Amino acid sequence: MSEPSRFMLVVSPLMHKSPAFERAAALAKAADAALHIVAFDYLEGLATAGLVNGQALEQMRLGYVERHRQWLEEQAHPLRKIGVTVTTEVVWVHNPLQEILIHLQEQPMAALIKALDHESPLSRLMFTPLDIHLLRECPVPLHFVSHVQHAMPRRIVAAVDPFHRDGRYRGLNDRILREAAKLASTCNALLDVIYAHDLSSISAAEFGFHNASAFFSSSAAKAFFEAQGEAFRELAERNGIPAENQHMIMGDPAKVLASYADAYDIDVIVMGRVIRKGMGRLIGSTVEHLLYRMPCSVWVVAPENLID
């Protein structure tokens, strides 16, 4: 895995052991990496308890943090027995996002691992969950663990878009494939790469047509499809992906990727994220749309040199 050889596992403040523990331990062991387990505690009921005695309230808070620290140490013990270097930390903080970002600045990590919190669509509409904030702002590879069949991933798929028309993301596809290849090598897993392309999203005006039907009834559509295929093959071959592991499928990317992951028992899908502003930020990106719909875990890669 990428340097430095250390992972951060962010866990729930409720002392709940999720499959993310097993995934983080398996990856750390395979990569010969250290693992830092951290809980960012803040319990609204405890924080706002109507106690007159402020000192008693502070003692309750300190007591909970200490119990959580002891609980994390109990979870870390079996990991240390299998040779993983584990450190634990509990922080009482109201805004975990900023604290996580500060931690990543002060203690560089190879990746941040976290169980996906399955928020309801209504909740996501009214309040932006921590997972979405991390998806948009986390500077290191971000692994959301969900629907785990195997602690150690056996099948990994990298999702690319070689025809991304925003020049700010030049090189992101290569970064996705490098990250996916390193993950697959660490896990001794099978790696496939998929390009889900949707011609209906292409603006006909870009190709000199006044309406979409004229575009799709012409040879331009065929030429564009062939150009996509050539770009995809060149990208995959440049990154050492064999032809039998390259898959170009027509259809809505979100539906294609979810269906593919379900049909082939994919453990992890590696995707890139893009920065959206204004209305685009409200609409979200493909990875945001997929996050709660994928039948597997998601590994998210950020662009390296994003132009403002």
Side-chain angles (χ1 to χ4, degrees):
M1 305 302 295
S2 17
E3 295 292 330
S5 191
R6 193 179 189 206
F7 296 113
M8 176 186 285
L9 171 63
V10 175
V11 301
S12 166
L14 299 177
M15 303 189 205
H16 169 69
K17 187 175 181 180
S18 73
F21 276 87
E22 284 72 25
R23 173 60 55 78
L27 291 178
K29 177 67 174 177
D32 194 24
L35 178 63
H36 184 57
I37 306 175
V38 57
F40 297 97
D41 283 0
Y42 187 81
L43 301 181
E44 193 72 34
L46 181 57
T48 59
L51 299 177
V52 176
N53 189 333
Q55 185 176 4
L57 180 59
E58 177 66 8
Q59 288 301 314
M60 289 177 61
R61 183 186 69 80
L62 293 175
Y64 185 85
V65 168
E66 181 57 30
R67 287 196 302 275
H68 201 170
R69 184 177 292 109
Q70 293 175 2
W71 184 84
L72 284 184
E73 281 295 308
E74 292 173 3
Q75 311 312 309
H77 182 67
L79 306 186
R80 292 177 179 134
K81 289 185 68 174
I82 64 172
V84 179
T85 300
V86 184
T87 52
T88 63
E89 180 183 7
V90 180
V91 182
W92 185 273
V93 60
H94 185 252
N95 186 349
L97 173 66
Q98 293 305 315
E99 196 64 32
I100 290 171
L101 296 179
I102 290 171
H103 269 63
L104 292 175
Q105 285 182 336
E106 297 177 345
Q107 309 174 51
M109 298 287 170
L112 188 151
I113 304 169
K114 183 182 180 299
L116 179 66
D117 293 327
H118 289 277
E119 308 281 353
S120 70
L122 179 59
S123 176
R124 298 200 302 268
L125 181 64
M126 297 179 65
F127 308 100
T128 303
L130 173 61
D131 291 346
I132 297 297
H133 279 299
L134 286 172
L135 195 61
R136 295 171 177 172
E137 301 184 42
C138 183
V140 302
L142 177 60
H143 185 28
F144 286 116
V145 181
S146 178
H147 306 292
V148 172
Q149 296 186 57
H150 312 108
M152 181 71 74
R154 297 178 182 176
R155 297 204 63 172
I156 297 170
V157 63
V160 298
D161 180 6
F163 260 67
H164 202 295
R165 286 165 285 168
D166 191 331
R168 295 181 300 169
Y169 302 101
R170 194 178 307 278
L172 177 57
N173 289 298
D174 290 284
R175 180 166 164 77
I176 292 169
L177 291 183
R178 288 196 302 270
E179 206 51 47
K182 285 187 290 185
L183 179 62
S185 177
T186 296
C187 303
N188 194 25
L190 177 67
L191 174 62
D192 288 288
V193 57
I194 186 169
Y195 172 30
H197 60 107
D198 185 5
L199 287 179
S200 65
S201 67
I202 305 299
S203 169
E206 295 182 43
F207 299 93
F209 294 93
H210 298 294
N211 58 73
S213 61
F215 170 69
F216 288 110
S217 64
S218 73
S219 60
K222 182 175 182 294
F224 184 71
F225 177 80
E226 292 175 351
Q228 285 184 310
E230 182 61 29
F232 174 57
R233 285 189 295 273
E234 194 277 331
L235 169 69
E237 291 171 4
R238 184 169 70 239
N239 287 276
I241 306 296
E244 60 269 24
N245 298 107
Q246 304 171 20
H247 310 285
M248 183 172 168
I249 304 174
M250 182 179 291
D252 174 76
K255 294 179 180 178
V256 167
L257 295 174
S259 297
Y260 187 92
D262 183 55
Y264 292 96
D265 294 323
I266 300 300
D267 293 298
V268 177
I269 182 168
V270 181
M271 304 180 68
R273 70 172 174 88
V274 298
I275 307 298
R276 295 180 182 270
K277 298 180 180 180
M279 286 302 296
R281 191 175 181 91
L282 296 176
I283 295 170
S285 62
T286 299
V287 67
E288 287 185 27
H289 293 154
L290 276 171
L291 191 59
Y292 298 97
R293 296 169 53 187
M294 288 300 295
C296 65
S297 298
V298 178
W299 188 285
V300 185
V301 180
E304 281 185 298
N305 299 313
L306 184 61
I307 303 171
D308 293 329

